[in-house]
Amino acid sequence: MIIRLLTKIGRLILIIWAPWPSLTAFAKSSEIVIKADQIDYLRANEELSLKGQVEISNGAYQLFSEHLIYQEKSARFKALSPSKLIKPDRQLELFSQAFASYQNFSYLLLEGVYLSFEETYTLLADKISYWSIDGLESEYLESEKSQFTTCPICQNGQLITPLWAINSRKTVYNGISDNFHHYHSYLTILKVPVFYFPYFNHAGPKTRKRTGLLAPTITDSNSLGLQYSQPIFINLRPNLDFTYQPTILSENNFLQEFSSRHQINDDNQYQI
């Protein structure tokens, strides 16, 4: 094992080649770079204590935190402050107040967390168990007391109330089938429950086209008042689909919209 400790603008950079035996679970290449304001090796507990602006990278993952503990015996990281793990191959970001990781971050236990899927969906939850199998487009997670939305949930580094969300007792995501499953759920608008669903599922961010509900839209105007639209997408064939969008207005009005797309070939398509 070769270890080099450098300083750069007051920060410590720990570079490990032929990695620390248990760190091979994290290594994708022969080099791990650990950057922190303070690095201590706790010999009695066989742990690395990393404090300050902590950044760990290995060519595949990037982990950011302010306080991390690496436990050599159990070969896992434990976050003691809000942390962020980026997996570029899946464009998945984990923002957590505390987590423990096992086996190359293929299994995570997270608390006080929100996840961003392909910058399309966001899932907030009290607790999440997350699995990922390297080399396969497969992920699986289970969450408790979750909130699912496509609306912005963060502004100036602070969590904000999304315009709409699905609050569930339990949410499961299966990356192989690219399906979200929600159990005992409420559709909420600005935290106000509107509909209850004992169970429903929908496609994830990797699915191109599939019959089902699309994300709702909520708008407000002086002339029409508050409007809630819930588009329903019907995939008839790979080159033909249909969308029905009912809209409920606060002035006791009801609108219906229909649209259809048909692609005849690569150069010709029409929409009604």
Side-chain angles (χ1 to χ4, degrees):
M1 177 174 64
I2 304 175
I3 299 178
R4 185 173 67 180
L5 186 63
L6 305 175
T7 59
K8 182 178 181 181
I9 317 180
R11 299 191 65 203
L12 298 175
I13 303 177
L14 180 65
I15 303 177
I16 304 176
W17 287 275
W20 196 350
S22 60
L23 275 175
T24 55
F26 179 65
K28 285 289 187 182
S29 64
S30 60
E31 179 176 293
I32 300 172
V33 178
I34 300 175
K35 302 178 183 179
D37 294 332
Q38 180 179 337
I39 300 176
D40 297 310
Y41 178 58
L42 310 177
R43 186 176 299 276
N45 300 325
E46 297 184 0
E47 294 178 343
L48 270 181
S49 174
L50 311 170
K51 296 181 180 179
Q53 299 181 39
V54 180
E55 177 183 347
I56 300 176
S57 60
N58 68 344
Y61 306 116
Q62 288 181 292
L63 177 62
F64 301 90
S65 184
E66 293 184 354
H67 190 185
L68 281 175
I69 295 291
Y70 179 76
Q71 300 170 332
E72 184 180 12
K73 287 184 178 180
S74 59
R76 71 175 185 175
F77 286 94
K78 183 177 181 181
L80 303 179
S81 67
S83 303
K84 176 178 174 182
L85 171 65
I86 300 179
K87 305 177 70 174
D89 57 331
R90 292 173 180 82
Q91 300 183 37
L92 175 67
E93 295 185 352
L94 309 175
F95 302 79
S96 179
Q97 295 176 8
F99 74 87
S101 65
Y102 305 81
Q103 298 177 354
N104 196 15
F105 293 105
S106 60
Y107 176 54
L108 301 171
L109 294 173
L110 307 111
E111 297 180 3
V113 60
Y114 73 85
L115 293 80
S116 174
F117 291 81
E118 309 283 349
E119 299 182 352
T120 302
Y121 303 130
T122 300
L123 181 69
L124 298 88
D126 289 351
K127 291 183 179 180
I128 289 180
S129 297
Y130 172 85
W131 294 264
S132 174
I133 302 174
D134 291 335
L136 299 175
E137 289 297 322
S138 60
E139 294 155 344
Y140 183 85
L141 69 84
E142 290 186 4
S143 64
E144 300 177 10
K145 297 181 180 179
S146 61
Q147 184 179 75
F148 177 90
T149 185
T150 60
C151 299
I153 57 98
C154 188
Q155 186 176 29
N156 298 325
Q158 300 293 324
L159 290 177
I160 60 175
T161 300
L163 185 58
W164 71 267
I166 297 169
N167 293 335
S168 305
R169 184 183 303 174
K170 178 182 177 181
T171 295
V172 174
Y173 173 69
N174 188 325
I176 296 178
S177 60
D178 195 31
N179 274 328
F180 284 93
H181 304 268
H182 304 277
Y183 300 86
H184 299 290
S185 306
Y186 288 91
L187 171 63
T188 62
I189 299 177
L190 295 175
K191 288 189 175 181
V192 178
V194 178
F195 299 110
Y196 169 74
F197 306 92
Y199 166 79
F200 80 99
N201 71 82
H202 60 87
K206 295 181 289 187
T207 299
R208 294 185 59 188
K209 291 204 315 177
R210 194 171 74 181
T211 297
L213 299 178
L214 300 180
T217 57
I218 302 173
T219 57
D220 191 12
S221 67
N222 294 329
S223 58
L224 298 176
L226 186 65
Q227 307 163 58
Y228 175 81
S229 300
Q230 178 56 72
I232 302 171
F233 180 80
I234 301 173
N235 185 31
L236 299 176
R237 295 197 300 268
N239 65 335
L240 177 63
D241 56 56
F242 176 82
T243 303
Y244 167 60
Q245 179 171 295
T247 301
I248 303 174
L249 290 79
S250 59
E251 302 298 329
N252 296 322
N253 292 322
F254 184 72
L255 300 177
Q256 300 183 76
E257 298 177 68
F258 303 86
S259 64
S260 178
R261 301 182 304 174
H262 185 201
Q263 183 168 353
I264 301 173
N265 51 48
D266 292 340
D267 300 319
N268 296 287
Q269 62 178 358
Y270 64 86
Q271 179 172 348
I272 300 176

